[in-house]
Coordinates of all heavy atoms in Angstrom, one line a residue:
M1 N 82.3 100.1 90.9 CA 82.3 98.6 90.8 C 83.5 98.2 90.0 O 84.2 97.2 90.4 CB 81.0 98.2 90.1 CG 80.8 96.7 90.2 SD 80.6 96.1 91.9 CE 80.9 94.3 91.7
R2 N 83.9 98.9 88.9 CA 85.0 98.6 88.1 C 86.3 98.7 89.0 O 87.2 97.8 88.9 CB 85.1 99.6 87.0 CG 86.3 99.4 86.1 CD 86.1 98.5 84.9 NE 87.3 98.3 84.2 CZ 88.0 97.2 84.2 NH1 87.6 96.2 84.9 NH2 89.1 97.0 83.5
R3 N 86.4 99.7 89.8 CA 87.5 99.9 90.7 C 87.7 98.7 91.7 O 88.8 98.2 91.9 CB 87.3 101.2 91.6 CG 88.4 102.2 91.4 CD 88.1 103.4 92.2 NE 88.8 103.5 93.5 CZ 90.1 103.7 93.6 NH1 90.8 104.0 92.5 NH2 90.7 103.8 94.8
E4 N 86.6 98.2 92.2 CA 86.6 97.1 93.1 C 87.1 95.8 92.4 O 87.9 95.1 93.0 CB 85.1 96.8 93.6 CG 84.7 97.7 94.8 CD 83.4 97.3 95.4 OE1 83.0 96.1 95.2 OE2 82.8 98.2 95.9
L5 N 86.7 95.7 91.2 CA 87.2 94.5 90.4 C 88.7 94.6 90.3 O 89.4 93.5 90.4 CB 86.5 94.4 89.1 CG 85.0 93.9 89.1 CD1 84.4 94.0 87.7 CD2 84.9 92.5 89.7
E6 N 89.2 95.8 89.9 CA 90.7 95.9 89.8 C 91.4 95.6 91.0 O 92.5 95.2 91.0 CB 90.9 97.3 89.2 CG 90.6 97.5 87.8 CD 90.7 98.9 87.3 OE1 91.1 99.8 88.1 OE2 90.5 99.1 86.1
M7 N 90.8 95.9 92.2 CA 91.5 95.7 93.4 C 91.4 94.3 94.0 O 92.0 94.0 95.0 CB 91.0 96.7 94.5 CG 91.5 98.1 94.1 SD 91.0 99.3 95.4 CE 89.3 99.3 95.3
A8 N 90.6 93.4 93.3 CA 90.4 92.1 93.8 C 91.4 91.2 93.2 O 92.0 91.5 92.1 CB 88.9 91.6 93.4
S9 N 91.6 90.1 93.8 CA 92.5 89.0 93.3 C 91.8 87.7 93.6 O 91.0 87.6 94.5 CB 93.9 89.1 93.8 OG 93.9 88.9 95.2
Y10 N 92.2 86.7 92.9 CA 91.6 85.3 93.0 C 92.7 84.3 93.2 O 93.8 84.4 92.7 CB 90.8 85.0 91.7 CG 89.7 85.9 91.5 CD1 89.9 87.1 90.7 CD2 88.4 85.6 91.9 CE1 88.9 88.0 90.4 CE2 87.4 86.5 91.6 CZ 87.6 87.7 90.9 OH 86.6 88.5 90.7
S11 N 92.3 83.2 93.9 CA 93.3 82.1 94.0 C 92.4 80.8 94.0 O 91.2 80.8 94.3 CB 94.1 82.2 95.3 OG 93.3 82.1 96.4
H12 N 93.1 79.7 93.6 CA 92.4 78.4 93.6 C 92.9 77.6 94.8 O 94.1 77.6 95.1 CB 92.8 77.7 92.3 CG 92.6 76.2 92.3 ND1 93.6 75.3 92.4 CD2 91.4 75.5 92.4 CE1 93.0 74.1 92.5 NE2 91.7 74.2 92.4
W13 N 92.0 77.0 95.5 CA 92.3 76.2 96.7 C 91.9 74.8 96.4 O 90.8 74.5 96.0 CB 91.6 76.7 97.9 CG 92.1 76.1 99.2 CD1 93.2 76.4 99.9 CD2 91.4 75.0 99.9 NE1 93.3 75.6 101.0 CE2 92.3 74.8 101.0 CE3 90.3 74.3 99.7 CZ2 91.9 73.7 102.0 CZ3 90.0 73.3 100.6 CH2 90.8 73.0 101.7
C14 N 92.8 73.9 96.7 CA 92.6 72.5 96.5 C 92.3 71.7 97.8 O 93.2 71.8 98.6 CB 93.7 71.8 95.7 SG 93.5 70.0 95.5
G15 N 91.1 71.2 97.9 CA 90.8 70.5 99.2 C 91.5 69.2 99.4 O 91.7 68.7 100.5
A16 N 92.0 68.6 98.3 CA 92.6 67.3 98.3 C 94.0 67.4 98.9 O 94.4 66.7 99.7 CB 92.6 66.6 97.0
C17 N 94.8 68.4 98.3 CA 96.2 68.5 98.8 C 96.3 69.7 99.7 O 97.4 70.0 100.2 CB 97.2 68.5 97.7 SG 96.7 69.1 96.1
R18 N 95.2 70.4 99.9 CA 95.2 71.6 100.8 C 96.2 72.6 100.4 O 97.0 73.0 101.3 CB 95.3 71.1 102.3 CG 94.4 70.1 102.7 CD 94.4 69.7 104.2 NE 93.8 70.7 105.0 CZ 92.5 70.9 105.1 NH1 91.6 70.1 104.4 NH2 92.0 71.8 105.9
T19 N 96.3 72.9 99.2 CA 97.3 74.0 98.7 C 96.5 75.1 98.1 O 95.4 74.9 97.6 CB 98.3 73.4 97.7 OG1 97.5 72.8 96.6 CG2 99.2 72.4 98.4
T20 N 97.1 76.3 98.0 CA 96.5 77.4 97.4 C 97.4 77.9 96.3 O 98.6 77.9 96.5 CB 96.4 78.6 98.5 OG1 95.6 78.1 99.6 CG2 95.7 79.8 97.9
S21 N 96.8 78.2 95.2 CA 97.6 78.7 94.0 C 98.1 80.1 94.4 O 97.6 80.8 95.3 CB 96.8 78.7 92.8 OG 95.8 79.7 92.8
E22 N 98.9 80.7 93.5 CA 99.3 82.1 93.6 C 98.1 82.9 93.3 O 97.2 82.5 92.5 CB 100.4 82.4 92.6 CG 101.8 81.9 93.0 CD 102.8 82.3 92.0 OE1 102.7 83.4 91.3 OE2 103.9 81.6 91.9
R23 N 98.0 84.1 93.8 CA 96.9 85.0 93.5 C 97.1 85.6 92.1 O 98.1 86.0 91.7 CB 96.8 86.1 94.5 CG 96.4 85.7 95.9 CD 96.1 86.8 96.8 NE 95.8 86.3 98.2 CZ 95.4 87.1 99.1 NH1 95.2 88.3 98.9 NH2 95.2 86.6 100.3
V24 N 95.9 85.6 91.4 CA 95.9 86.1 90.0 C 94.8 87.3 90.0 O 94.0 87.4 90.9 CB 95.6 85.1 89.0 CG1 96.8 84.1 88.9 CG2 94.3 84.3 89.3
R25 N 94.9 88.0 88.9 CA 94.0 89.2 88.8 C 92.6 88.9 88.4 O 91.7 89.7 88.8 CB 94.6 90.2 87.8 CG 96.0 90.7 88.2 CD 96.1 91.2 89.6 NE 95.3 92.4 89.8 CZ 95.1 93.0 91.0 NH1 95.6 92.5 92.0 NH2 94.3 94.1 91.1
T26 N 92.3 87.9 87.7 CA 91.0 87.6 87.2 C 90.5 86.2 87.6 O 91.3 85.3 87.8 CB 90.9 87.7 85.7 OG1 91.7 86.7 85.1 CG2 91.4 89.1 85.2
H27 N 89.2 86.1 87.6 CA 88.5 84.8 87.9 C 88.9 83.8 86.8 O 89.1 82.6 87.1 CB 87.0 85.0 88.0 CG 86.3 83.8 88.5 ND1 85.6 82.9 87.6 CD2 86.1 83.4 89.8 CE1 85.1 82.0 88.5 NE2 85.3 82.2 89.7
A28 N 89.0 84.3 85.6 CA 89.3 83.3 84.5 C 90.7 82.8 84.7 O 90.9 81.6 84.4 CB 89.3 84.1 83.1
E29 N 91.7 83.6 85.1 CA 93.0 83.1 85.4 C 93.1 82.1 86.5 O 93.8 81.1 86.5 CB 94.0 84.2 85.7 CG 94.4 85.1 84.6 CD 95.2 86.3 85.0 OE1 94.7 87.4 85.3 OE2 96.5 86.1 85.1
A30 N 92.2 82.3 87.5 CA 92.0 81.3 88.6 C 91.5 80.0 88.1 O 92.0 79.0 88.6 CB 91.2 81.9 89.7
L31 N 90.6 80.1 87.2 CA 90.0 78.9 86.6 C 91.1 78.1 85.8 O 91.1 76.9 85.8 CB 88.8 79.1 85.7 CG 87.5 79.6 86.5 CD1 86.5 80.0 85.5 CD2 87.0 78.5 87.4
E32 N 92.0 78.8 85.1 CA 93.1 78.2 84.4 C 94.0 77.5 85.4 O 94.5 76.4 85.1 CB 93.9 79.3 83.6 CG 93.2 79.7 82.3 CD 94.0 80.8 81.6 OE1 95.2 80.8 81.7 OE2 93.4 81.7 81.0
A33 N 94.3 78.2 86.5 CA 95.2 77.6 87.5 C 94.5 76.3 88.1 O 95.2 75.3 88.3 CB 95.4 78.6 88.7
Q34 N 93.2 76.4 88.2 CA 92.4 75.2 88.7 C 92.6 74.1 87.7 O 92.8 72.9 88.1 CB 91.0 75.6 88.9 CG 90.1 74.5 89.2 CD 88.6 74.9 89.4 OE1 88.3 75.5 90.5 NE2 87.8 74.8 88.4
A35 N 92.4 74.4 86.4 CA 92.4 73.4 85.4 C 93.9 72.7 85.3 O 94.0 71.5 85.2 CB 92.1 74.0 84.0
G36 N 94.9 73.7 85.5 CA 96.2 73.2 85.4 C 96.6 72.3 86.6 O 97.3 71.3 86.5
H37 N 96.0 72.6 87.8 CA 96.2 71.8 88.9 C 95.6 70.5 88.9 O 96.2 69.4 89.2 CB 95.7 72.6 90.2 CG 96.0 71.8 91.4 ND1 97.2 71.9 92.1 CD2 95.2 71.0 92.2 CE1 97.1 71.1 93.2 NE2 95.9 70.5 93.3
R38 N 94.4 70.4 88.3 CA 93.7 69.1 88.1 C 94.5 68.2 87.3 O 94.6 67.0 87.6 CB 92.3 69.4 87.4 CG 91.2 69.9 88.3 CD 90.0 70.2 87.4 NE 88.9 70.8 88.3 CZ 87.8 71.1 87.8 NH1 87.5 71.0 86.5 NH2 86.8 71.7 88.6
V39 N 95.0 68.7 86.2 CA 95.8 67.9 85.3 C 97.2 67.5 85.9 O 97.6 66.4 85.9 CB 96.0 68.6 83.9 CG1 97.0 67.8 83.0 CG2 94.7 68.8 83.2
G40 N 97.9 68.6 86.4 CA 99.2 68.4 86.9 C 99.3 67.5 88.2 O 100.2 66.7 88.4
A41 N 98.3 67.7 89.1 CA 98.4 67.1 90.4 C 97.5 65.9 90.5 O 97.6 65.0 91.4 CB 98.2 68.1 91.5
H42 N 96.4 65.9 89.8 CA 95.4 64.8 90.0 C 95.0 64.1 88.7 O 93.9 63.5 88.6 CB 94.1 65.5 90.7 CG 94.4 66.2 91.9 ND1 94.8 65.5 93.1 CD2 94.5 67.5 92.3 CE1 95.0 66.4 94.1 NE2 94.9 67.6 93.6
G43 N 95.9 64.1 87.7 CA 95.6 63.3 86.5 C 94.3 63.8 85.8 O 93.7 62.9 85.1
G44 N 93.9 65.0 85.9 CA 92.7 65.5 85.2 C 91.4 65.3 86.0 O 90.4 65.7 85.6
R45 N 91.5 64.6 87.2 CA 90.3 64.4 88.0 C 90.1 65.6 88.8 O 90.9 66.4 89.1 CB 90.5 63.1 88.8 CG 90.4 61.8 88.0 CD 90.6 60.6 88.9 NE 91.9 60.6 89.6 CZ 93.0 60.1 89.1 NH1 92.9 59.6 87.9 NH2 94.1 60.0 89.8
I46 N 88.8 65.7 89.3 CA 88.4 66.9 90.0 C 88.5 66.6 91.5 O 87.9 65.7 92.0 CB 86.9 67.3 89.7 CG1 86.7 67.6 88.2 CG2 86.5 68.4 90.6 CD1 85.3 67.8 87.7
P47 N 89.5 67.3 92.2 CA 89.6 67.1 93.6 C 88.5 67.5 94.4 O 87.7 68.4 94.1 CB 90.9 67.9 93.9 CG 91.2 68.8 92.7 CD 90.3 68.4 91.6
V48 N 88.3 66.9 95.6 CA 87.2 67.2 96.5 C 87.5 68.5 97.2 O 88.7 68.8 97.6 CB 87.1 66.1 97.6 CG1 86.1 66.5 98.7 CG2 86.7 64.8 96.9
G49 N 86.5 69.4 97.3 CA 86.6 70.6 98.1 C 87.4 71.7 97.4 O 87.7 72.7 98.1
E50 N 87.7 71.6 96.1 CA 88.4 72.7 95.5 C 87.5 73.9 95.3 O 86.3 73.8 95.2 CB 89.0 72.3 94.1 CG 87.9 72.0 93.1 CD 88.4 71.8 91.7 OE1 89.7 71.8 91.5 OE2 87.6 71.5 90.8
R51 N 88.1 75.1 95.3 CA 87.3 76.3 95.2 C 88.1 77.5 94.7 O 89.3 77.4 94.8 CB 86.6 76.7 96.5 CG 87.6 77.0 97.6 CD 86.9 77.6 98.8 NE 87.9 78.1 99.7 CZ 88.3 77.5 100.8 NH1 87.9 76.4 101.1 NH2 89.3 78.1 101.6
I52 N 87.4 78.5 94.2 CA 88.1 79.8 93.8 C 87.8 80.8 94.9 O 86.6 81.0 95.2 CB 87.6 80.2 92.4 CG1 87.7 79.2 91.4 CG2 88.3 81.6 92.1 CD1 89.2 78.9 91.0
D53 N 88.8 81.3 95.5 CA 88.7 82.3 96.5 C 88.8 83.7 96.0 O 89.7 84.0 95.2 CB 89.7 82.1 97.7 CG 89.4 80.8 98.5 OD1 88.1 80.6 98.7 OD2 90.3 80.2 98.9
L54 N 88.0 84.6 96.4 CA 88.0 86.0 96.0 C 88.7 86.8 97.2 O 88.3 86.7 98.3 CB 86.7 86.6 95.7 CG 86.5 88.1 95.6 CD1 87.3 88.6 94.4 CD2 85.0 88.5 95.4
H55 N 89.7 87.6 96.9 CA 90.4 88.4 97.9 C 90.2 89.9 97.5 O 90.6 90.2 96.4 CB 91.9 88.1 97.9 CG 92.2 86.6 98.1 ND1 92.2 85.9 99.2 CD2 92.4 85.7 97.1 CE1 92.4 84.6 99.0 NE2 92.6 84.5 97.7
R56 N 89.7 90.6 98.4 CA 89.6 92.1 98.1 C 90.7 92.7 98.9 O 90.8 92.5 100.2 CB 88.2 92.6 98.6 CG 87.1 92.1 97.8 CD 85.8 92.8 98.1 NE 84.7 92.3 97.4 CZ 84.4 92.6 96.1 NH1 85.2 93.4 95.5 NH2 83.4 92.1 95.5
T57 N 91.5 93.5 98.2 CA 92.6 94.1 98.9 C 92.7 95.6 98.5 O 92.2 96.0 97.5 CB 94.0 93.5 98.4 OG1 94.0 93.5 96.9 CG2 94.1 92.0 98.9
E58 N 93.3 96.3 99.4 CA 93.6 97.7 99.2 C 92.4 98.6 99.1 O 92.5 99.8 98.7 CB 94.6 98.0 98.0 CG 95.9 97.3 98.2 CD 96.6 97.0 96.9 OE1 96.3 97.8 95.9 OE2 97.3 96.0 96.8
G59 N 91.2 98.1 99.3 CA 90.0 98.9 99.2 C 89.8 99.8 100.4 O 90.3 99.4 101.5
W60 N 89.0 100.8 100.3 CA 88.7 101.7 101.4 C 88.0 100.9 102.5 O 88.3 101.1 103.7 CB 87.8 102.8 100.9 CG 87.4 103.8 102.0 CD1 86.2 103.8 102.6 CD2 88.2 104.8 102.6 NE1 86.2 104.9 103.5 CE2 87.4 105.5 103.5 CE3 89.5 105.2 102.4 CZ2 87.8 106.6 104.2 CZ3 90.0 106.3 103.1 CH2 89.1 107.0 104.0
G61 N 87.2 99.9 102.1 CA 86.4 99.1 103.1 C 87.3 98.2 103.9 O 87.0 97.9 105.0
D62 N 88.4 97.8 103.3 CA 89.3 96.9 104.0 C 90.4 97.6 104.7 O 91.3 97.1 105.4 CB 90.0 96.0 103.0 CG 89.0 94.9 102.4 OD1 88.0 94.7 103.1 OD2 89.2 94.4 101.3
A63 N 90.5 98.9 104.6 CA 91.6 99.7 105.1 C 91.5 99.7 106.6 O 90.4 99.6 107.3 CB 91.5 101.2 104.6
D64 N 92.6 99.7 107.3 CA 92.7 99.8 108.7 C 92.0 101.1 109.2 O 92.3 102.2 108.5 CB 94.2 99.8 109.1 CG 94.4 99.8 110.6 OD1 94.1 98.8 111.2 OD2 94.8 100.8 111.2
P65 N 91.2 101.1 110.2 CA 90.5 102.3 110.7 C 91.5 103.5 110.9 O 91.2 104.6 110.6 CB 89.9 101.9 112.0 CG 89.6 100.4 111.8 CD 90.8 99.9 111.0
T66 N 92.7 103.2 111.5 CA 93.7 104.2 111.7 C 94.1 104.9 110.4 O 94.2 106.1 110.3 CB 94.9 103.7 112.4 OG1 94.5 102.9 113.6 CG2 95.9 104.7 112.8
E67 N 94.4 104.0 109.4 CA 94.7 104.6 108.1 C 93.7 105.4 107.5 O 94.0 106.4 106.8 CB 95.0 103.4 107.1 CG 96.4 102.7 107.3 CD 96.6 101.5 106.4 OE1 96.2 101.7 105.2 OE2 97.1 100.5 106.8
R68 N 92.4 105.0 107.7 CA 91.3 105.8 107.2 C 91.3 107.2 107.9 O 91.1 108.2 107.2 CB 90.0 105.1 107.6 CG 89.5 104.3 106.4 CD 88.1 103.8 106.7 NE 88.0 102.4 107.0 CZ 87.0 101.7 107.3 NH1 85.8 102.2 107.2 NH2 87.1 100.4 107.5
W69 N 91.5 107.3 109.2 CA 91.5 108.6 109.9 C 92.7 109.4 109.4 O 92.6 110.6 109.3 CB 91.6 108.3 111.4 CG 90.2 108.2 112.0 CD1 89.6 107.0 112.5 CD2 89.1 109.1 112.0 NE1 88.3 107.2 112.8 CE2 88.0 108.5 112.5 CE3 89.1 110.5 111.6 CZ2 86.8 109.2 112.7 CZ3 87.9 111.1 111.7 CH2 86.8 110.5 112.3
I70 N 93.9 108.8 109.2 CA 95.0 109.5 108.8 C 94.8 110.2 107.4 O 95.0 111.3 107.2 CB 96.3 108.6 108.7 CG1 96.8 108.3 110.1 CG2 97.4 109.3 107.9 CD1 97.8 107.2 110.2
T71 N 94.1 109.4 106.5 CA 93.7 109.9 105.2 C 92.8 111.1 105.3 O 92.9 112.1 104.7 CB 93.0 108.8 104.4 OG1 93.9 107.7 104.3 CG2 92.8 109.3 103.0
V72 N 91.8 111.0 106.2 CA 90.8 112.1 106.4 C 91.5 113.3 107.0 O 91.2 114.4 106.5 CB 89.7 111.6 107.4 CG1 88.8 112.8 107.8 CG2 88.8 110.5 106.6
I73 N 92.4 113.1 108.0 CA 93.0 114.2 108.6 C 94.0 114.9 107.6 O 94.0 116.2 107.5 CB 93.8 113.8 109.9 CG1 92.8 113.4 111.0 CG2 94.8 114.9 110.4 CD1 93.4 112.6 112.1
L74 N 94.7 114.2 106.8 CA 95.6 114.7 105.8 C 94.8 115.6 104.9 O 95.2 116.6 104.4 CB 96.4 113.6 105.1 CG 97.6 113.1 105.9 CD1 98.2 111.9 105.1 CD2 98.6 114.1 106.3
A75 N 93.7 115.0 104.4 CA 92.8 115.7 103.5 C 92.3 117.0 104.0 O 92.3 118.1 103.4 CB 91.7 114.8 103.0
A76 N 92.0 117.0 105.3 CA 91.5 118.2 106.0 C 92.6 119.3 106.1 O 92.3 120.4 105.9 CB 90.9 117.8 107.4
V77 N 93.8 118.8 106.5 CA 95.0 119.7 106.6 C 95.2 120.3 105.3 O 95.5 121.5 105.1 CB 96.2 119.0 107.2 CG1 97.4 119.8 107.0 CG2 95.9 118.6 108.7
A78 N 95.2 119.5 104.2 CA 95.5 120.0 102.9 C 94.5 121.1 102.5 O 94.8 122.1 101.9 CB 95.5 118.9 101.9
L79 N 93.3 120.8 102.8 CA 92.2 121.8 102.5 C 92.4 123.1 103.3 O 92.2 124.2 102.7 CB 90.9 121.1 102.9 CG 89.6 121.8 102.2 CD1 89.6 121.6 100.7 CD2 88.4 121.1 102.8
L80 N 92.7 123.0 104.5 CA 93.0 124.2 105.4 C 94.1 125.0 104.8 O 94.1 126.2 104.7 CB 93.3 123.8 106.8 CG 92.0 123.4 107.6 CD1 92.4 122.8 109.0 CD2 91.1 124.6 107.8
V81 N 95.2 124.3 104.4 CA 96.4 125.0 103.9 C 96.0 125.7 102.6 O 96.3 126.9 102.3 CB 97.6 124.1 103.6 CG1 98.7 124.6 102.8 CG2 98.1 123.5 104.9
F82 N 95.3 125.0 101.7 CA 94.8 125.6 100.5 C 93.9 126.8 100.7 O 94.2 127.9 100.2 CB 94.0 124.5 99.7 CG 93.4 125.0 98.5 CD1 94.2 125.2 97.3 CD2 92.0 125.3 98.4 CE1 93.6 125.7 96.1 CE2 91.5 125.8 97.2 CZ 92.3 126.0 96.1
A83 N 93.0 126.7 101.7 CA 92.1 127.8 102.0 C 92.8 129.0 102.5 O 92.6 130.2 102.2 CB 91.0 127.4 103.0
Y84 N 93.8 128.7 103.4 CA 94.6 129.8 104.0 C 95.4 130.6 103.0 O 95.5 131.8 103.1 CB 95.6 129.2 105.1 CG 96.5 130.2 105.8 CD1 95.9 131.0 106.8 CD2 97.8 130.4 105.4 CE1 96.7 131.9 107.5 CE2 98.6 131.3 106.0 CZ 98.0 132.0 107.1 OH 98.8 132.9 107.7
N85 N 96.0 129.9 102.0 CA 96.8 130.5 101.0 C 95.9 131.3 99.9 O 96.4 132.2 99.3 CB 97.7 129.5 100.3 CG 98.8 129.0 101.2 OD1 99.3 129.7 101.9 ND2 99.1 127.7 101.0
V86 N 94.7 130.8 99.7 CA 93.9 131.4 98.7 C 93.0 132.5 99.2 O 93.0 133.6 98.6 CB 93.0 130.3 98.0 CG1 92.0 131.0 97.1 CG2 93.8 129.4 97.2
L87 N 92.5 132.4 100.4 CA 91.6 133.4 101.0 C 92.3 134.5 101.8 O 93.4 134.3 102.2 CB 90.5 132.7 101.9 CG 89.7 131.6 101.1 CD1 88.8 130.9 102.2 CD2 88.9 132.2 100.0
Ligands
ZN101 ZN1 95.3 69.2 94.6

């Protein structure tokens, strides 16, 4: 679970101006971006439809199926080479 959190990123989306903030590492940073946007772009008022988006990146679950197979095959080859040299 900790690993998943490290691989996640967050962004703030504003429904009023339809813009997305830069991605940040934590939900708290995204809330800061949201607060900054409210003040900077909307005079401190809360825009309609704003939200914090969670992006999961680089996780095994999001990996391309081909990349997954390449990883499995490389691991198998490495294991075979190891076994051949040792046994
Ligand atoms: Zn806005």
Side-chain angles (χ1 to χ4, degrees):
M1 194 60 199
R2 177 92 185 107
R3 238 176 101 75
E4 278 186 24
L5 287 175
E6 282 172 1
M7 287 185 295
S9 62
Y10 299 86
S11 64
H12 163 252
W13 190 79
C14 178
C17 31
R18 309 187 74 77
T19 56
T20 305
S21 73
E22 285 183 27
R23 291 190 185 189
V24 291
R25 300 307 297 172
T26 65
H27 191 260
E29 285 177 271
L31 288 175
E32 281 176 35
Q34 174 180 279
H37 181 83
R38 283 178 182 173
V39 172
H42 302 289
R45 290 182 296 275
I46 299 169
V48 173
E50 67 172 1
R51 64 169 192 262
I52 303 295
D53 289 324
L54 168 62
H55 311 276
R56 293 190 182 282
T57 53
E58 298 158 30
W60 179 256
D62 292 336
D64 184 72
T66 308
E67 283 178 39
R68 264 190 253 186
W69 274 111
I70 289 170
T71 306
V72 169
I73 289 165
L74 284 177
V77 167
L79 197 67
L80 283 171
V81 168
F82 176 77
Y84 181 77
N85 287 326
V86 171
L87 302 175

